[in-house]
Amino acid sequence: MSGSMREQDVQSADSGKPAQRSDAVLRSLIDFVERRQSTAAEIGDMFSAIFFNRTARISFTMLSACDASVRLKSMLAQVVPEGLTNYLAALEELRSLLKDCTSRDIRVLFLSDGLPGDAASMLRFFQNLIQEQSSLSWRNLQFHTVGFGSLDDFMYLQQMSVLGHGSFQLAGRSAVALFRALQSISSTLGASPERSSLYPTRTVVDKCNSWQRRLRKQRDLDGCADAHLLAAYPQANDFEVPRQIWEPFPKKGAMTLFCKRSRMVFTGKAIYCKEAVNTSVMCRPCPWTQGGMHLVYSMVDSSRTFYDPAAKKLQPSPMVAKATKPCCAWIGRGLAESYPHNAAVAAWCAKSFRQQLGDSCLFFVPCYSYALETVPAAHEGGIAPESFANFVGERHIHGVFRKYNNNNGDVVDMSCEDGHAKEASLLA
C-alpha cells in the first residue's frame, strides 16, 4: 500500500473515531470475502490479492473465501503503507495471475486512494490487457474499481471500469461507505454481463459485426466503406488519458469539423428547434471513455465560450462529443436527434420540479445535435469522418459520476413499427 494509506482520516463504522486508511481497507475486504463465503462455496469462487505502491507483490493466490479471510486478518498487523502510487506494477502482476488462471469468469476489484504516477504507461498496458483477455472467447473479465480517500477526482479509476466492462464506486473517507461500495459490487458479481448494467465485452463486438452485415445489405456498401466504420471503433491503445477540465485543450492531432449545431426546447406540448447555427468544432483524435452506444471525445465548440478571468478573455467551453459506435452507425442520425429531444423534455420537467419545490436543486446539461457540413480529409489520428456525420455535444462536467441507467449496449431496430418509441425509452 502507498504512503497515503497511513492517513488516519477514515470515519470508522463502530466508534466513529478516525481510523487509518489501510486498516479500514483490510477490514472492508475481510467483510467482503466473508459475506461471499456461502455464494463462493456454491459456485467455487477463489480469491487472490495483490498489494501495490511503487511496486507490487502477490500476497496470496487461489484461496477459498475462508482461507482468504484468515490471510487478510493476519495482514492487519503486517501491512506498512509506504511509497508512491503506481498502477502499472499491479496490472503487471495481475497479468501474470491471469496467464496461470484457467477460470472462465474473472472479477477484478481494484481499489486506490490516489492518482497513478504512471498514467500514460498504465493506460497503454491496461488496454492491451483488456484486449488480450477479450480475444479469449471462453473468458469473461470484468474490472470493478473503488475510489477511496480524500480525492474528489478518480477519473482514471472511472475510465478503467468503463474500458474493463465493470463499475465504479466512490467510497470517500467513510468505512460505512467503503463497506457499501464493496457490497454494491458484490451484488453484481453473480450477474451475467448480458443481463447486468455492465458493458459486455464480446456482445458489443458481435453486434458490430451484425450491423456491419446489415449495413452492407441495406446500403450495398463495399469493403472500403466497412473499413472506414471499423477504423472508428477503438482498438488497443486507442483511448487517451483523461484530462482535467481546466487543462488547455491540446491541438496537436485534433481534427476540425464544420457543423450545424441545433438545440431543442420543449414547451410542455411540443418540441421545437430554438437555434440552428453554423459552427466549427475541434475534436481530439482518440476517445477517452465510452458508453454502450457511444464513444466520448474531448472537444471545443468555437461558438460556445466562457470568460476566463485568469486569461482575461473568452475561451472555448470544454465539451464532449458523443459519436455513435459502428455497431449503431446505421441509426446514428436518429440517436443524434433523439438525445437533444429527450434532454429538452428532461429540462422542462426539471424546471417544473424546481418551480413546485421552490429550490434550485435539479438541472440538466444542455444537449446539442451536430450535423457535419463539410467532410474533412482523412485524418492521421484515425478518426473516420463518417462516424461524426451526426453526433451529440454536451458541456464537460468534471468530477465523479455515477450512471443509474443505460441501454446496456442494446441497439434498437429502427425498421420496426415502434422503433422510435423504444429508442426514446432507452435514451431517456
Side-chain angles (χ1 to χ4, degrees), residues 42-211:
E42 293 175 6
I43 61 178
D45 275 358
M46 304 298 287
F47 296 85
S48 302
I50 300 172
F51 286 83
F52 67 96
N53 44 34
R54 185 176 59 83
T55 59
R57 63 181 178 86
I58 299 175
S59 299
F60 56 83
T61 62
M62 302 299 289
L63 295 183
S64 65
C66 182
D67 292 339
S69 175
V70 172
R71 183 67 65 87
L72 288 170
K73 288 178 180 178
S74 70
M75 296 173 63
L76 281 169
Q78 298 175 0
V79 172
V80 180
E82 59 182 355
L84 304 175
T85 303
N86 286 347
Y87 291 1
L88 179 59
L91 295 176
E92 289 174 338
E93 293 295 341
L94 172 63
R95 186 181 186 183
S96 66
L97 281 180
L98 293 177
K99 283 184 176 180
D100 298 331
C101 182
T102 58
S103 300
R104 177 186 182 276
D105 296 320
I106 304 294
R107 304 294 181 260
V108 179
L109 175 59
F110 193 96
L111 188 149
S112 177
D113 69 337
L115 299 176
D118 52 359
S121 57
M122 174 276 295
L123 180 59
R124 285 193 298 270
F125 186 91
F126 180 75
Q127 290 184 80
N128 280 329
L129 176 64
I130 296 299
Q131 189 79 4
E132 179 183 279
Q133 296 301 310
S134 299
S135 66
L136 302 176
S137 59
W138 53 272
R139 172 153 288 176
N140 174 18
L141 173 68
Q142 292 176 7
F143 207 97
H144 303 272
T145 60
V146 177
F148 179 64
S150 57
L151 291 178
D152 59 356
D153 183 358
F154 289 98
M155 55 186 178
Y156 298 101
L157 292 181
Q158 292 184 73
Q159 184 185 45
M160 291 167 71
S161 68
V162 170
L163 302 186
H165 321 292
S167 61
F168 167 78
Q169 299 290 330
L170 178 64
R173 289 177 290 180
S174 165
V176 173
L178 184 56
F179 288 141
R180 290 174 178 171
L182 297 182
Q183 185 177 2
S184 176
I185 292 175
S186 179
S187 66
T188 70
L189 296 186
S192 169
E194 287 78 12
R195 298 184 179 181
S196 71
S197 61
L198 308 176
Y199 297 121
T201 307
R202 292 181 298 280
T203 302
V204 170
V205 177
D206 291 341
K207 286 179 179 177
C208 180
N209 295 333
S210 173
W211 293 119

Side-chain angles (χ1 to χ4, degrees), residues 397-419:
I397 303 299
H398 183 69
V400 174
F401 64 87
R402 180 178 290 114
K403 192 169 186 178
Y404 289 98
N405 70 311
N406 62 40
N407 54 290
N408 192 29
D410 290 332
V411 182
V412 176
D413 186 350
M414 297 301 292
S415 64
C416 297
E417 183 178 352
D418 58 350

Side-chain angles (χ1 to χ4, degrees), residues 295-355:
L295 300 172
V296 183
Y297 298 77
S298 295
M299 85 165 195
V300 291
D301 184 331
S302 61
S303 61
R304 304 298 302 173
T305 59
F306 74 102
Y307 181 75
D308 185 353
K312 297 183 178 180
K313 63 178 181 179
L314 291 176
Q315 300 276 34
S317 296
M319 299 182 70
V320 294
K322 296 182 177 179
T324 309
K325 285 182 176 179
C327 57
C328 315
W330 73 289
I331 55 171
R333 182 175 180 179
L335 289 174
E337 291 175 351
S338 295
Y339 270 99
H341 286 199
N342 290 324
V345 174
W348 181 86
C349 292
K351 181 179 179 181
S352 300
F353 181 80
R354 294 195 302 270
Q355 290 174 344

Side-chain angles (χ1 to χ4, degrees), residues 214-222 229 329-332:
R214 179 162 189 158
L215 277 169
R216 191 180 301 113
K217 180 178 178 181
Q218 287 190 343
R219 303 180 186 177
D220 195 27
L221 292 178
D222 56 19
L229 290 170
W330 73 289
I331 55 171

